[in-house]
Amino acid sequence: MKKLTDIYKLDEDKLAHSFQDACNDKEFYDYVYGLNVKEEILMKYTSSLEDSFLENKNCKNCKELDCCLNKVLGYCYNAINDRGSITFSYDACPYMEKKLKEDSYKENIDLFELPKDIKDASFKNIYKDDKARVPIIKYFKEFMDHYNDDSKPKGIYLNGSFGSGKTYLIACLFNEMAKRGVRSVLVYYPEFLVNLKSSFSGDFEERRDYVKRIPLLLLDDIGAENTSNWSRDEVLGPILQYRMENHLPTFFTSNLTIDELEEALSTTSSGVDKVKARRITERIKQLTNSFDLISKNRRN
């Protein structure tokens, strides 16, 4: 039977041979000895040092983030002299640092039941062949220019055809405002009501109040929900009343005109109440300017 010391000696010899073989590459040799760590320490980490060396070499030849060859996109596996020993860490490359900085605005945007990529919506990517968008974009520019005025500009009620890009357009504005430090939330309204009702015994008021008080709010696809007295009078009404009283810009998208929305809001399983529906649409009119976006379906 081999002695334990003999086994350790064989392992050390194996480590030494692996390290010396790797050091036959002059670039690798220069890299590891540039760490200013003793050789007996270096040889214990040959495999990890080879990974680190390769990733650093990839970074030197990289021209942009999309060209990254490393295991973790935008990050480099670095070896660090830690008081005479070695530690390893994944560090963001300059391209990733730039992207992270550019994307930091997304922390100012919350989404309720809308796809995350809506946070990437940008005016530079909108379709330029649709003149119907021009008045809306002009208004958005005025909105951004005057947002910090004492009397904040109104939001918009944007109605139009399916797939015309209503939500995307407003997301472009909210993303630009987020870059200026303004918080917003984009709410897919029909699903929001479903989730809100399920939380009735829990954090109902907290969720409703969050939406009520956010600086910028989009209620997306309003009118597509199943109207009830509760959704109209205990959810939507208080949200709009608070935002109207506090001059908080509020945006809506819908496939219905405001008159059609009023008709939809008036009818519930309990009957027809045109007065309460009119109260809602009057608040919407106070909060918004109305725009139409009748366009071809961009989703197809």
Side-chain angles (χ1 to χ4, degrees), residues 72-128:
V72 180
L73 181 71
Y75 288 82
C76 184
Y77 188 54
N78 286 318
I80 302 163
N81 181 334
D82 183 13
R83 292 172 295 183
S85 187
I86 297 179
T87 58
F88 296 88
S89 67
Y90 278 102
D91 301 310
C93 73
Y95 300 120
M96 178 56 77
E97 287 179 347
K98 181 181 178 182
K99 178 175 172 55
L100 291 172
K101 186 176 181 180
E102 290 174 348
D103 288 352
S104 63
Y105 74 88
K106 294 179 181 179
E107 296 176 2
N108 290 323
I109 305 169
D110 283 331
L111 305 174
F112 284 173
E113 306 302 330
L114 283 168
K116 291 182 180 179
D117 60 6
I118 205 75
K119 292 185 178 184
D120 295 318
S122 172
F123 285 123
K124 68 181 181 181
N125 294 327
I126 65 172
Y127 293 101
K128 305 294 193 301

Side-chain angles (χ1 to χ4, degrees), residues 230-246:
W230 170 80
S231 66
R232 181 189 62 206
D233 304 331
E234 296 183 43
V235 179
L236 186 57
I239 289 173
L240 300 186
Q241 184 66 29
Y242 181 89
R243 297 187 69 79
M244 187 174 68
E245 291 173 352
N246 290 275

